[in-house]
Amino acid sequence: MPFSYFFSDYTAMAIVNLLFWNGTIILLYLLVTRLYDEKTGFISALLYSTSLVPIAYNSRPLTDCGSNFFFILQIYYVEVHARAYRGKELALLGIFFALALLHKESAFFAIVYLGLDLLYRYKITQAIWKGLRAGIAALISLIPVTLWKNATGASWFVGRNRQASPTNLSLASMLALLFRTFIAFHIGWAFAIYGIIKDKARKEYYVKCFITLILPVMLGWLTAPPYSPRFAFFLYPLVLPAFAYGLQESSKKISKKIGIKSEKLVWGTVFLYYAISYFGASLFPSQDVNASTNLVQVVWEELKKRWL
C-alpha cells in the first residue's frame, strides 16, 4: 500500500527515501565486506549513515537517494555475483540499470563501470562481444523507462535543464566547487587518500570507480544548485571503503606511538566525523535537520491530523 495513502506526497516520498537510505547502508556493508572484511564493511556503512550529504538530503523527496541505491546495487552485483555476463546476469543488470535511470538520468554512467569490468576480466575480443550483449540489455531496459516517462509527462531532454544552475568556470568558481567536494567528506578525505595509497590489493576496484564516477561528479559540479554538495552521492562507493580501510590502518600506526588502543581511535574518529557532518548539514536552512522541518515531527503531525 503506498505511503501516499497515509501522508502527503512530500512526506511519502521522504519516507521512501529513508528506506533507500537504509537499503544503501546494507548494500555498502555487503559490498565492502566482500572487498575487505566484516569490520571494514560495518565501518563503511556507519560512515555513510553519518556523512553530511545523507544527513542533509536523504529525508527529503529527492531522486538522488533511489538512484544512488540502484547505482551501488549494480556495482555490488558486478563485484559479487556477475560471473560470465550471460542471460540471467544481463537481465538483472538491465533491471537495476532501468530502476536507477527512473530516479535520475545521471545513473547512465553505471554502464561505464560494467564496461571497465569486462576489460579487466576478458581479452579485448571477448570484452567487446560481451559488451555488445550488455549494451543490448541496457537498450532494452530503456524501453520501459522511456514509456514510463512519456506516460507521466516527463522527458529525457526536458525538465532537468530547468532545475540546473550552470556554473561559469573561473578561479573563484573552481575553488567553490573544490570546497563543496571537500565538505562532503571533510576529515574523511585524508583517510580515504591514505587508504587508496596503502591498499595495493584492490587497485582494480578503485580504478574502475574513479573512471566511472569522474564524469558524473564533474557534471554535478557544473549543474548542481549553488553551494549544494548533492553530487557527492556518486562518490560513496569510491571514498567510503578507502576511508574505512585507511582509518583502521592509520589508527594502528598512531596507536603504537601514543599508546591508545586503535579501536578507540577508530570510534572516536567516527564520532568526530558524525559531529562535523551534522553541524555542516545544519547549515543548510532547507534541510530536515532543523526542528521546524524535522521529518519525524512532520510524520507525527500528519498522522494526528488524519487519524486522531
Side-chain angles (χ1 to χ4, degrees):
M1 186 176 294
F3 288 109
S4 56
Y5 178 79
F6 300 98
F7 307 103
S8 65
D9 289 342
Y10 179 99
T11 305
M13 293 173 66
I15 293 173
V16 171
N17 279 347
L18 287 178
L19 297 178
F20 279 129
W21 186 355
N22 285 277
T24 304
I25 290 172
I26 295 171
L27 274 180
L28 276 172
Y29 169 78
L30 294 173
L31 173 62
V32 181
T33 296
R34 183 60 179 257
L35 292 172
Y36 289 94
D37 52 47
E38 189 172 355
K39 182 179 179 181
T40 308
F42 176 76
I43 294 174
S44 296
L46 186 61
L47 290 172
Y48 173 77
S49 64
T50 57
S51 291
L52 184 150
V53 174
I55 292 173
Y57 292 104
N58 277 11
S59 58
R60 299 184 66 208
L62 299 170
T63 57
D64 304 70
C65 305
S67 179
N68 182 53
F69 172 81
F70 290 110
F71 191 92
I72 295 178
L73 180 59
Q74 290 175 88
I75 294 177
Y76 168 76
Y77 190 80
V78 167
E79 291 295 327
V80 177
H81 296 292
R83 294 290 178 265
Y85 286 97
R86 291 175 180 163
K88 179 182 177 181
E89 294 172 351
L90 290 176
L92 286 173
L93 285 170
I95 292 171
F96 300 152
F97 184 60
L99 290 171
L101 285 174
L102 274 175
H103 288 83
K104 207 173 186 69
E105 288 87 343
S106 51
F108 182 82
F109 290 98
I111 202 168
V112 176
Y113 191 92
L114 190 150
L116 292 169
D117 187 69
L118 288 171
L119 290 173
Y120 268 109
R121 291 195 191 196
Y122 303 104
K123 295 179 180 178
I124 187 66
T125 52
Q126 284 182 296
I128 292 174
W129 170 243
K130 290 180 179 291
L132 287 173
R133 296 174 62 189
I136 292 172
L139 288 173
I140 293 174
S141 71
L142 293 180
I143 296 174
V145 178
T146 304
L147 292 174
W148 175 265
K149 285 179 174 292
N150 289 336
T152 56
S155 169
W156 285 110
F157 309 105
V158 178
R160 294 293 182 192
N161 290 335
R162 292 197 299 267
Q163 301 173 17
S165 304
T167 302
N168 295 321
L169 291 181
S170 63
L171 178 59
S173 66
M174 287 300 297
L175 291 174
L177 294 171
L178 290 173
F179 177 73
R180 287 157 60 188
T181 307
F182 169 75
I183 63 173
F185 299 99
H186 45 92
I187 64 171
W189 279 113
F191 297 104
I193 294 170
Y194 177 77
I196 291 174
I197 295 173
K198 185 78 173 175
D199 187 6
K200 305 298 182 183
R202 298 160 191 86
K203 182 179 179 181
E204 175 185 315
Y205 170 79
Y206 288 115
V207 169
K208 288 189 291 186
C209 280
F210 180 81
I211 295 175
T212 301
L213 302 174
I214 187 66
L215 283 176
V217 168
M218 290 179 67
L219 287 174
W221 270 10
L222 299 176
T223 60
Y227 313 111
S228 171
R230 276 170 57 187
F231 57 84
F233 272 112
F234 287 109
L235 292 170
Y236 290 117
L238 171 65
V239 175
L240 292 185
F243 182 179
Y245 176 76
L247 175 58
Q248 293 178 90
E249 292 300 308
S250 60
S251 295
K252 292 176 184 176
K253 284 192 173 184
I254 297 173
S255 174
K256 294 178 181 179
K257 294 182 179 181
I258 65 176
I260 299 177
K261 290 184 178 181
S262 61
E263 289 80 6
K264 291 184 178 180
L265 294 174
V266 168
W267 301 123
T269 304
V270 171
F271 181 81
L272 176 63
Y273 178 75
Y274 170 65
I276 297 174
S277 295
Y278 191 89
F279 175 75
S282 68
L283 298 179
F284 290 87
S286 62
Q287 308 313 316
D288 292 321
V289 296
N290 299 306
S292 60
T293 55
N294 184 278
L295 183 59
V296 175
Q297 180 179 338
V298 171
V299 168
W300 173 242
E301 292 298 328
E302 289 193 15
L303 282 175
K304 286 197 301 182
K305 184 177 179 180
R306 187 179 182 89
W307 301 101
L308 300 180

